[in-house]
Amino acid sequence: MDPHLRDLRYFVAVAEELHFTNAAQRLHIAQPTLSRQIRQLERQLDVVLFDRNQRSVALTVAGKELLEGARKILELWEVTNVALQEAGEVLRVGIQSSIGRGLITDLESASGHRLALHSASWTDPSSGLAGRQADLALMWLPVPDTSRYRWQVLRTEPRWVLLPENHALAGHESIDFADLLDEPFVAMPAEAGAARDFWLGSDARAGRQARIGAEAATAEERLEAVSLGLGVCLLAENNVPMYRWPGLTARPVTGLAPCELAVAWRADDDRPTILEFAARVLDGGFAEQEPLAAV
């Protein structure tokens, strides 16, 4: 019977540590289990791999030969395994709240990767990246931590305001943000961080604090809060159709910088599939597609 890769890993750990207890700790297994596996490997190969006594462990000539070969085998397997994982990998895409129709199909077509969606609430500004529930995330800038994530902007669009049809400003073709400064807003939860401030228009308030009429952790909660007259809210232009609700209307807002939709990933994730995803989505013109995430 040929040795398993596990047996080779166990052997390499002992060979490098030259100490069974230390090797067992490194492998997170019990020391008697490790000793038993090494003895079994020696029987399989019909060689003695270690000279053991009460004070030391040393490699035999056969052990030194196996160490060189085992390292090469394990290294080759790691390279092969990564390639296999990437070839059949399903990338998890984090997205907050409601999503546009056909989103998964559009993204898969543009990127050439199989995708699965991870839905997150606004209490998780990373859309699943921080907890590694997602490999990539579609999010509106700003990202929650510029040192922890990298991103590619997919598209830029104006911000609109959602308000009740009977609101005093609802009859205007467009609304200057200066006219909304004293309005109560339906805010994202505090956990949303910089996104909360952005969708309150804090970048155009010159330090003036927004009035908070209510908080909402999802698009559905925000719709309900606005419909109850608890406040107004800003949203992306392409997501206006998602907020069609009896008694509500949306108007474009002037005096505000546009919002930017990006695909983001962890800065320490150097898998080629991640970088290829962002590149292919941009090359495929995905920025032309329909609404992506409700904000």
Side-chain angles (χ1 to χ4, degrees), residues 50-76:
F50 296 100
D51 285 326
R52 310 166 177 85
N53 59 46
Q54 292 182 342
R55 291 180 295 181
S56 65
V57 175
L59 282 167
T60 63
V61 173
K64 292 176 181 178
E65 287 293 328
L66 180 59
L67 179 59
E68 182 178 352
R71 282 172 169 162
K72 291 178 180 178
I73 291 170
L74 292 173
E75 182 180 355
L76 178 59

PDB file of all heavy atoms in Angstrom, residues 50-76:
ATOM      1  N   PHE A  50      13.830   7.026  11.476  1.00  0.00           N
ATOM      2  CA  PHE A  50      14.386   7.829  12.564  1.00  0.00           C
ATOM      3  C   PHE A  50      15.172   6.946  13.524  1.00  0.00           C
ATOM      4  O   PHE A  50      14.769   5.824  13.837  1.00  0.00           O
ATOM      5  CB  PHE A  50      13.267   8.530  13.350  1.00  0.00           C
ATOM      6  CG  PHE A  50      12.477   9.532  12.546  1.00  0.00           C
ATOM      7  CD1 PHE A  50      11.237   9.192  12.029  1.00  0.00           C
ATOM      8  CD2 PHE A  50      12.981  10.805  12.318  1.00  0.00           C
ATOM      9  CE1 PHE A  50      10.507  10.101  11.295  1.00  0.00           C
ATOM     10  CE2 PHE A  50      12.257  11.725  11.578  1.00  0.00           C
ATOM     11  CZ  PHE A  50      11.014  11.375  11.054  1.00  0.00           C
ATOM     12  N   ASP A  51      16.295   7.481  13.969  1.00  0.00           N
ATOM     13  CA  ASP A  51      17.006   6.904  15.112  1.00  0.00           C
ATOM     14  C   ASP A  51      16.444   7.577  16.356  1.00  0.00           C
ATOM     15  O   ASP A  51      16.539   8.806  16.505  1.00  0.00           O
ATOM     16  CB  ASP A  51      18.516   7.175  15.013  1.00  0.00           C
ATOM     17  CG  ASP A  51      19.171   6.284  13.967  1.00  0.00           C
ATOM     18  OD1 ASP A  51      18.719   5.135  13.804  1.00  0.00           O
ATOM     19  OD2 ASP A  51      20.133   6.760  13.325  1.00  0.00           O
ATOM     20  N   ARG A  52      15.835   6.775  17.246  1.00  0.00           N
ATOM     21  CA  ARG A  52      15.194   7.347  18.419  1.00  0.00           C
ATOM     22  C   ARG A  52      15.892   6.847  19.683  1.00  0.00           C
ATOM     23  O   ARG A  52      16.267   5.687  19.776  1.00  0.00           O
ATOM     24  CB  ARG A  52      13.729   6.935  18.498  1.00  0.00           C
ATOM     25  CG  ARG A  52      12.900   7.146  17.234  1.00  0.00           C
ATOM     26  CD  ARG A  52      11.581   6.383  17.373  1.00  0.00           C
ATOM     27  NE  ARG A  52      10.656   6.542  16.275  1.00  0.00           N
ATOM     28  CZ  ARG A  52      10.667   5.835  15.161  1.00  0.00           C
ATOM     29  NH1 ARG A  52      11.629   4.941  14.971  1.00  0.00           N
ATOM     30  NH2 ARG A  52       9.763   6.018  14.228  1.00  0.00           N
ATOM     31  N   ASN A  53      16.034   7.728  20.650  1.00  0.00           N
ATOM     32  CA  ASN A  53      16.384   7.320  22.005  1.00  0.00           C
ATOM     33  C   ASN A  53      15.646   8.252  22.952  1.00  0.00           C
ATOM     34  O   ASN A  53      14.846   9.084  22.523  1.00  0.00           O
ATOM     35  CB  ASN A  53      17.905   7.339  22.236  1.00  0.00           C
ATOM     36  CG  ASN A  53      18.511   8.711  21.996  1.00  0.00           C
ATOM     37  OD1 ASN A  53      17.984   9.713  22.466  1.00  0.00           O
ATOM     38  ND2 ASN A  53      19.632   8.740  21.275  1.00  0.00           N
ATOM     39  N   GLN A  54      15.874   8.152  24.228  1.00  0.00           N
ATOM     40  CA  GLN A  54      15.115   8.934  25.197  1.00  0.00           C
ATOM     41  C   GLN A  54      15.405  10.417  25.123  1.00  0.00           C
ATOM     42  O   GLN A  54      14.614  11.239  25.587  1.00  0.00           O
ATOM     43  CB  GLN A  54      15.412   8.432  26.620  1.00  0.00           C
ATOM     44  CG  GLN A  54      14.866   7.026  26.894  1.00  0.00           C
ATOM     45  CD  GLN A  54      15.135   6.594  28.317  1.00  0.00           C
ATOM     46  OE1 GLN A  54      15.992   7.154  29.002  1.00  0.00           O
ATOM     47  NE2 GLN A  54      14.395   5.593  28.767  1.00  0.00           N
ATOM     48  N   ARG A  55      16.538  10.793  24.542  1.00  0.00           N
ATOM     49  CA  ARG A  55      16.930  12.201  24.538  1.00  0.00           C
ATOM     50  C   ARG A  55      16.891  12.869  23.173  1.00  0.00           C
ATOM     51  O   ARG A  55      16.888  14.092  23.089  1.00  0.00           O
ATOM     52  CB  ARG A  55      18.329  12.346  25.134  1.00  0.00           C
ATOM     53  CG  ARG A  55      18.382  12.066  26.632  1.00  0.00           C
ATOM     54  CD  ARG A  55      19.777  12.217  27.174  1.00  0.00           C
ATOM     55  NE  ARG A  55      20.693  11.211  26.608  1.00  0.00           N
ATOM     56  CZ  ARG A  55      21.977  11.107  26.936  1.00  0.00           C
ATOM     57  NH1 ARG A  55      22.522  11.960  27.769  1.00  0.00           N
ATOM     58  NH2 ARG A  55      22.724  10.157  26.407  1.00  0.00           N
ATOM     59  N   SER A  56      16.866  12.099  22.093  1.00  0.00           N
ATOM     60  CA  SER A  56      16.957  12.744  20.775  1.00  0.00           C
ATOM     61  C   SER A  56      16.295  11.901  19.694  1.00  0.00           C
ATOM     62  O   SER A  56      16.049  10.702  19.865  1.00  0.00           O
ATOM     63  CB  SER A  56      18.426  12.990  20.406  1.00  0.00           C
ATOM     64  OG  SER A  56      19.104  11.753  20.242  1.00  0.00           O
ATOM     65  N   VAL A  57      16.022  12.591  18.597  1.00  0.00           N
ATOM     66  CA  VAL A  57      15.484  11.959  17.391  1.00  0.00           C
ATOM     67  C   VAL A  57      16.344  12.436  16.231  1.00  0.00           C
ATOM     68  O   VAL A  57      16.614  13.639  16.103  1.00  0.00           O
ATOM     69  CB  VAL A  57      14.015  12.347  17.149  1.00  0.00           C
ATOM     70  CG1 VAL A  57      13.514  11.773  15.823  1.00  0.00           C
ATOM     71  CG2 VAL A  57      13.131  11.882  18.301  1.00  0.00           C
ATOM     72  N   ALA A  58      16.782  11.513  15.386  1.00  0.00           N
ATOM     73  CA  ALA A  58      17.622  11.882  14.242  1.00  0.00           C
ATOM     74  C   ALA A  58      17.162  11.115  13.010  1.00  0.00           C
ATOM     75  O   ALA A  58      16.642   9.997  13.112  1.00  0.00           O
ATOM     76  CB  ALA A  58      19.086  11.587  14.536  1.00  0.00           C
ATOM     77  N   LEU A  59      17.343  11.718  11.864  1.00  0.00           N
ATOM     78  CA  LEU A  59      17.002  11.058  10.606  1.00  0.00           C
ATOM     79  C   LEU A  59      18.050  10.001  10.256  1.00  0.00           C
ATOM     80  O   LEU A  59      19.249  10.232  10.413  1.00  0.00           O
ATOM     81  CB  LEU A  59      16.930  12.078   9.464  1.00  0.00           C
ATOM     82  CG  LEU A  59      15.656  12.938   9.378  1.00  0.00           C
ATOM     83  CD1 LEU A  59      15.881  14.084   8.402  1.00  0.00           C
ATOM     84  CD2 LEU A  59      14.467  12.095   8.931  1.00  0.00           C
ATOM     85  N   THR A  60      17.586   8.870   9.763  1.00  0.00           N
ATOM     86  CA  THR A  60      18.496   7.875   9.200  1.00  0.00           C
ATOM     87  C   THR A  60      18.809   8.277   7.767  1.00  0.00           C
ATOM     88  O   THR A  60      18.256   9.249   7.233  1.00  0.00           O
ATOM     89  CB  THR A  60      17.837   6.492   9.214  1.00  0.00           C
ATOM     90  OG1 THR A  60      16.682   6.526   8.370  1.00  0.00           O
ATOM     91  CG2 THR A  60      17.432   6.077  10.628  1.00  0.00           C
ATOM     92  N   VAL A  61      19.672   7.523   7.115  1.00  0.00           N
ATOM     93  CA  VAL A  61      19.973   7.777   5.697  1.00  0.00           C
ATOM     94  C   VAL A  61      18.695   7.662   4.881  1.00  0.00           C
ATOM     95  O   VAL A  61      18.414   8.487   4.003  1.00  0.00           O
ATOM     96  CB  VAL A  61      21.049   6.785   5.191  1.00  0.00           C
ATOM     97  CG1 VAL A  61      21.233   6.952   3.683  1.00  0.00           C
ATOM     98  CG2 VAL A  61      22.368   7.005   5.921  1.00  0.00           C
ATOM     99  N   ALA A  62      17.894   6.612   5.160  1.00  0.00           N
ATOM    100  CA  ALA A  62      16.633   6.445   4.447  1.00  0.00           C
ATOM    101  C   ALA A  62      15.698   7.616   4.730  1.00  0.00           C
ATOM    102  O   ALA A  62      14.980   8.099   3.844  1.00  0.00           O
ATOM    103  CB  ALA A  62      15.973   5.129   4.849  1.00  0.00           C
ATOM    104  N   GLY A  63      15.702   8.097   5.974  1.00  0.00           N
ATOM    105  CA  GLY A  63      14.854   9.227   6.336  1.00  0.00           C
ATOM    106  C   GLY A  63      15.227  10.489   5.573  1.00  0.00           C
ATOM    107  O   GLY A  63      14.355  11.248   5.134  1.00  0.00           O
ATOM    108  N   LYS A  64      16.531  10.724   5.403  1.00  0.00           N
ATOM    109  CA  LYS A  64      16.972  11.899   4.648  1.00  0.00           C
ATOM    110  C   LYS A  64      16.538  11.817   3.186  1.00  0.00           C
ATOM    111  O   LYS A  64      16.149  12.824   2.577  1.00  0.00           O
ATOM    112  CB  LYS A  64      18.495  12.041   4.750  1.00  0.00           C
ATOM    113  CG  LYS A  64      18.983  12.391   6.159  1.00  0.00           C
ATOM    114  CD  LYS A  64      20.508  12.431   6.231  1.00  0.00           C
ATOM    115  CE  LYS A  64      20.980  12.755   7.636  1.00  0.00           C
ATOM    116  NZ  LYS A  64      22.453  12.749   7.760  1.00  0.00           N
ATOM    117  N   GLU A  65      16.613  10.624   2.609  1.00  0.00           N
ATOM    118  CA  GLU A  65      16.169  10.438   1.227  1.00  0.00           C
ATOM    119  C   GLU A  65      14.667  10.709   1.102  1.00  0.00           C
ATOM    120  O   GLU A  65      14.207  11.376   0.175  1.00  0.00           O
ATOM    121  CB  GLU A  65      16.473   9.016   0.759  1.00  0.00           C
ATOM    122  CG  GLU A  65      17.941   8.739   0.504  1.00  0.00           C
ATOM    123  CD  GLU A  65      18.480   9.519  -0.694  1.00  0.00           C
ATOM    124  OE1 GLU A  65      17.694   9.758  -1.648  1.00  0.00           O
ATOM    125  OE2 GLU A  65      19.665   9.889  -0.674  1.00  0.00           O
ATOM    126  N   LEU A  66      13.897  10.182   2.055  1.00  0.00           N
ATOM    127  CA  LEU A  66      12.451  10.374   1.995  1.00  0.00           C
ATOM    128  C   LEU A  66      12.083  11.836   2.203  1.00  0.00           C
ATOM    129  O   LEU A  66      11.154  12.339   1.558  1.00  0.00           O
ATOM    130  CB  LEU A  66      11.753   9.513   3.050  1.00  0.00           C
ATOM    131  CG  LEU A  66      10.221   9.640   3.079  1.00  0.00           C
ATOM    132  CD1 LEU A  66       9.614   9.259   1.727  1.00  0.00           C
ATOM    133  CD2 LEU A  66       9.637   8.792   4.188  1.00  0.00           C
ATOM    134  N   LEU A  67      12.805  12.533   3.078  1.00  0.00           N
ATOM    135  CA  LEU A  67      12.494  13.942   3.327  1.00  0.00           C
ATOM    136  C   LEU A  67      12.596  14.759   2.058  1.00  0.00           C
ATOM    137  O   LEU A  67      11.719  15.578   1.750  1.00  0.00           O
ATOM    138  CB  LEU A  67      13.427  14.497   4.399  1.00  0.00           C
ATOM    139  CG  LEU A  67      13.226  15.980   4.747  1.00  0.00           C
ATOM    140  CD1 LEU A  67      11.814  16.233   5.246  1.00  0.00           C
ATOM    141  CD2 LEU A  67      14.265  16.432   5.779  1.00  0.00           C
ATOM    142  N   GLU A  68      13.649  14.541   1.289  1.00  0.00           N
ATOM    143  CA  GLU A  68      13.824  15.292   0.041  1.00  0.00           C
ATOM    144  C   GLU A  68      12.686  15.009  -0.919  1.00  0.00           C
ATOM    145  O   GLU A  68      12.100  15.921  -1.523  1.00  0.00           O
ATOM    146  CB  GLU A  68      15.169  14.929  -0.595  1.00  0.00           C
ATOM    147  CG  GLU A  68      15.464  15.702  -1.876  1.00  0.00           C
ATOM    148  CD  GLU A  68      16.821  15.354  -2.474  1.00  0.00           C
ATOM    149  OE1 GLU A  68      17.601  14.622  -1.809  1.00  0.00           O
ATOM    150  OE2 GLU A  68      17.097  15.795  -3.601  1.00  0.00           O
ATOM    151  N   GLY A  69      12.343  13.723  -1.078  1.00  0.00           N
ATOM    152  CA  GLY A  69      11.270  13.368  -2.001  1.00  0.00           C
ATOM    153  C   GLY A  69       9.905  13.793  -1.505  1.00  0.00           C
ATOM    154  O   GLY A  69       9.062  14.253  -2.284  1.00  0.00           O
ATOM    155  N   ALA A  70       9.655  13.657  -0.188  1.00  0.00           N
ATOM    156  CA  ALA A  70       8.347  14.010   0.372  1.00  0.00           C
ATOM    157  C   ALA A  70       8.065  15.497   0.208  1.00  0.00           C
ATOM    158  O   ALA A  70       6.940  15.900  -0.102  1.00  0.00           O
ATOM    159  CB  ALA A  70       8.290  13.619   1.845  1.00  0.00           C
ATOM    160  N   ARG A  71       9.079  16.323   0.411  1.00  0.00           N
ATOM    161  CA  ARG A  71       8.884  17.765   0.237  1.00  0.00           C
ATOM    162  C   ARG A  71       8.484  18.095  -1.198  1.00  0.00           C
ATOM    163  O   ARG A  71       7.600  18.922  -1.446  1.00  0.00           O
ATOM    164  CB  ARG A  71      10.162  18.508   0.609  1.00  0.00           C
ATOM    165  CG  ARG A  71      10.371  18.661   2.114  1.00  0.00           C
ATOM    166  CD  ARG A  71      11.733  19.235   2.415  1.00  0.00           C
ATOM    167  NE  ARG A  71      11.866  19.630   3.821  1.00  0.00           N
ATOM    168  CZ  ARG A  71      13.018  19.830   4.413  1.00  0.00           C
ATOM    169  NH1 ARG A  71      14.159  19.670   3.725  1.00  0.00           N
ATOM    170  NH2 ARG A  71      13.066  20.185   5.683  1.00  0.00           N
ATOM    171  N   LYS A  72       9.125  17.448  -2.159  1.00  0.00           N
ATOM    172  CA  LYS A  72       8.803  17.699  -3.565  1.00  0.00           C
ATOM    173  C   LYS A  72       7.378  17.244  -3.883  1.00  0.00           C
ATOM    174  O   LYS A  72       6.631  17.927  -4.590  1.00  0.00           O
ATOM    175  CB  LYS A  72       9.797  16.974  -4.470  1.00  0.00           C
ATOM    176  CG  LYS A  72      11.207  17.540  -4.430  1.00  0.00           C
ATOM    177  CD  LYS A  72      12.152  16.747  -5.326  1.00  0.00           C
ATOM    178  CE  LYS A  72      13.564  17.302  -5.280  1.00  0.00           C
ATOM    179  NZ  LYS A  72      14.505  16.507  -6.101  1.00  0.00           N
ATOM    180  N   ILE A  73       7.000  16.080  -3.351  1.00  0.00           N
ATOM    181  CA  ILE A  73       5.651  15.552  -3.605  1.00  0.00           C
ATOM    182  C   ILE A  73       4.594  16.483  -3.016  1.00  0.00           C
ATOM    183  O   ILE A  73       3.598  16.816  -3.681  1.00  0.00           O
ATOM    184  CB  ILE A  73       5.516  14.133  -3.001  1.00  0.00           C
ATOM    185  CG1 ILE A  73       6.379  13.141  -3.789  1.00  0.00           C
ATOM    186  CG2 ILE A  73       4.052  13.681  -3.002  1.00  0.00           C
ATOM    187  CD1 ILE A  73       6.504  11.778  -3.133  1.00  0.00           C
ATOM    188  N   LEU A  74       4.801  16.920  -1.780  1.00  0.00           N
ATOM    189  CA  LEU A  74       3.820  17.790  -1.130  1.00  0.00           C
ATOM    190  C   LEU A  74       3.734  19.149  -1.815  1.00  0.00           C
ATOM    191  O   LEU A  74       2.648  19.709  -1.970  1.00  0.00           O
ATOM    192  CB  LEU A  74       4.179  17.962   0.348  1.00  0.00           C
ATOM    193  CG  LEU A  74       4.039  16.696   1.212  1.00  0.00           C
ATOM    194  CD1 LEU A  74       4.581  16.953   2.613  1.00  0.00           C
ATOM    195  CD2 LEU A  74       2.597  16.222   1.266  1.00  0.00           C
ATOM    196  N   GLU A  75       4.880  19.670  -2.237  1.00  0.00           N
ATOM    197  CA  GLU A  75       4.876  20.953  -2.936  1.00  0.00           C
ATOM    198  C   GLU A  75       4.134  20.843  -4.265  1.00  0.00           C
ATOM    199  O   GLU A  75       3.330  21.711  -4.619  1.00  0.00           O
ATOM    200  CB  GLU A  75       6.311  21.427  -3.180  1.00  0.00           C
ATOM    201  CG  GLU A  75       6.382  22.783  -3.869  1.00  0.00           C
ATOM    202  CD  GLU A  75       7.813  23.239  -4.099  1.00  0.00           C
ATOM    203  OE1 GLU A  75       8.750  22.539  -3.645  1.00  0.00           O
ATOM    204  OE2 GLU A  75       7.999  24.290  -4.741  1.00  0.00           O
ATOM    205  N   LEU A  76       4.389  19.758  -5.002  1.00  0.00           N
ATOM    206  CA  LEU A  76       3.707  19.548  -6.279  1.00  0.00           C
ATOM    207  C   LEU A  76       2.208  19.400  -6.066  1.00  0.00           C
ATOM    208  O   LEU A  76       1.401  19.933  -6.846  1.00  0.00           O
ATOM    209  CB  LEU A  76       4.265  18.304  -6.972  1.00  0.00           C
ATOM    210  CG  LEU A  76       3.617  17.929  -8.317  1.00  0.00           C
ATOM    211  CD1 LEU A  76       3.759  19.070  -9.317  1.00  0.00           C
ATOM    212  CD2 LEU A  76       4.243  16.649  -8.860  1.00  0.00           C
TER     213      LEU A  76
END
